Amino acid sequence: MSYRIATIAGDGIGPEVAGATVQVLQALLGSDVLRFDWLDGGAGHYDKTGEVLPQSTLDACRASHAILHGAAGLPGVTYDDGTEVGNDLHLKLRFGLDLYANVRPIRLLPGVESPLRHHQPGTIDYVIVRENTEGLYASRGAGVVLRDEMASDSLVITRKGTERVARFALELSRRRQGAPKDGKRRLTVCDKANILRSYAFFRRVCDEVGAEFNDVELDYAYVDAMTVHLVKRPDFYDVIVAENLFGDIISDLGAATVGGMGVSPSAELGDRHGLFQGAHGSAPDIAGQDAANPIATLLSGAMMLEWLAVEHADDRLSDAAGRLRQAVDGVLSDGRSRPREFGGDTGCSAFTEQVLRQLDRLPA
């Protein structure tokens, strides 16, 4: 079987990191297995045409097996209300394809120094599952500014949305090996249930779904306390589930503890579709200089292969995902090829070449 991958390079460093990932994935599996269709979209495309996500691109994404994205957004390219155009690409895809689970692995890689002293690879390894279609971000484009004196946005949490993201997170915990500290499969519900009824409802629905999973321990943390816990005891966590805004915030904090956004992959998943991209932005200040760090997008590519492997029962893809992770870990462990954000001088193309060489060294 071959797989069609809708590929949106996007803006800034997006074409560079997406191109690097396509190069590595094709080296792993060949063009007969993975077919990449390059599609228009992003803030730059909007600047030229008035469309951030053309209907033809959305249709192609809907018809493809998976979506690979580089990055979106450019400074100064905004709507009349001041909001950024680039963000709309993601939102249109999320809502158009019902990508309700945003999956952000937080893993300390070999050769990467955590700003949290004493933590080594293996001691930070958890996943944040962010509800992706509701919460405060559901108000995007629908907020009210009244007489230039008052503004409001609505927080939306539904039973259906909470049930399905809680079940997704609990099933993910079942497939993992538990928290690094104690090996327990654990779901931590991150909310503000002590203050707002909407979050108390979110917690209650998570509890109801959690009752079906006797093998996964339920844990709770208010979002303000969570910002402390992820710094003081990151090894305690296995899977964390949160509302859209809270999940967005703590995901970036988690990324900082393992080296930054440049090593943080992400997936946005629904029941039928999957979008994969690095968690970083488009970094237009370094675009075109071969200075981008491709690690986050490469690891997002590995997540894409794993998801496709499960969806289509294809062991070739899960094997390739494992090899890709091994290759990235191997290059970082070697220490000679370090991206610039880690104090090295290795650019996007050079790091990609080292990953390809590492793949050649791995046993078949």
Side-chain angles (χ1 to χ4, degrees), residues 74-108:
L74 290 173
V77 183
T78 62
Y79 294 119
D80 290 342
D81 64 2
T83 58
E84 293 185 10
V85 168
N87 289 330
D88 230 16
L89 176 79
H90 301 134
L91 291 170
K92 289 179 182 294
L93 287 169
R94 286 172 192 169
F95 289 104
L97 303 178
D98 198 22
L99 307 176
Y100 60 84
N102 188 313
V103 183
R104 290 281 299 271
I106 307 296
R107 181 171 73 97
L108 183 56

Side-chain angles (χ1 to χ4, degrees), residues 53-333:
L53 181 69
Q55 186 63 45
S56 58
T57 296
L58 179 58
D59 291 343
C61 289
R62 188 173 281 118
S64 297
H65 292 96
I67 306 156
L68 180 68
H69 182 226
L74 290 173
V77 183
T78 62
Y79 294 119
D80 290 342
D81 64 2
T83 58
E84 293 185 10
V85 168
N87 289 330
D88 230 16
L89 176 79
H90 301 134
L91 291 170
K92 289 179 182 294
L93 287 169
R94 286 172 192 169
F95 289 104
L97 303 178
D98 198 22
L99 307 176
Y100 60 84
N102 188 313
V103 183
R104 290 281 299 271
I106 307 296
R107 181 171 73 97
L108 183 56
L109 303 174
V112 176
E113 183 178 351
S114 171
L116 306 181
R117 61 180 183 176
H118 308 314
H119 278 285
Q120 302 299 321
T123 65
I124 303 177
D125 186 354
Y126 59 89
V127 181
I128 296 171
V129 178
R130 163 187 164 194
E131 200 293 316
N132 211 34
T133 60
E134 299 184 349
L136 192 59
Y137 289 168
S139 193
R140 164 85 169 176
V144 175
V145 178
L146 184 62
R147 296 190 300 274
D148 204 29
E149 296 176 353
M150 185 275 287
S152 69
D153 288 291
S154 299
L155 173 65
V156 178
I157 293 178
T158 70
R159 172 170 289 277
K160 176 184 176 181
T162 306
E163 282 180 345
R164 65 183 183 176
V165 78
R167 181 165 282 107
F168 179 98
L170 286 156
E171 289 173 349
L172 175 60
S173 180
R174 272 185 171 171
R175 297 194 299 271
R176 288 172 45 84
Q177 302 302 310
K181 182 176 183 177
D182 53 18
K184 288 187 178 180
R185 291 183 171 89
R186 177 182 294 114
L187 178 67
T188 301
V189 181
C190 176
D191 56 39
K192 198 62 179 165
N194 58 331
I195 299 294
L196 298 176
R197 289 179 177 177
S198 53
Y199 289 113
F201 176 74
F202 182 86
R203 179 179 291 201
R204 176 157 56 86
V205 175
C206 287
D207 276 346
E208 292 171 7
V209 179
E212 303 172 21
F213 293 77
N214 294 329
D215 53 334
V216 180
E217 176 184 286
L218 285 180
D219 174 57
Y220 311 93
Y222 300 135
V223 67
D224 47 342
M226 180 62 87
T227 63
V228 176
H229 298 331
L230 292 184
V231 172
K232 300 287 282 185
R233 52 169 190 167
D235 56 346
F236 174 80
Y237 293 100
D238 175 26
V239 178
I240 301 167
V241 66
E243 173 268 337
N244 209 336
L245 174 64
F246 288 173
D248 191 7
I249 293 169
I250 65 171
S251 293
D252 285 7
L253 172 60
T257 68
V258 294
M261 306 300 285
V263 293
S264 298
S266 76
E268 300 184 41
L269 305 177
D271 292 331
R272 296 183 55 220
H273 302 284
L275 165 68
F276 303 85
Q277 63 178 348
H280 54 70
S282 61
D285 56 318
I286 60 169
Q289 301 175 31
D290 195 29
N293 178 358
I295 294 174
T297 313
L298 288 169
L299 295 178
S300 299
M303 293 179 73
M304 181 180 76
L305 295 181
E306 286 184 329
W307 180 76
L308 286 169
V310 173
E311 291 291 303
H312 300 279
D314 192 337
D315 289 341
R316 295 175 302 171
L317 303 184
S318 55
D319 290 344
R323 289 172 60 82
L324 176 49
R325 284 202 178 92
Q326 277 186 273
V328 171
D329 286 357
V331 174
L332 289 171
S333 296

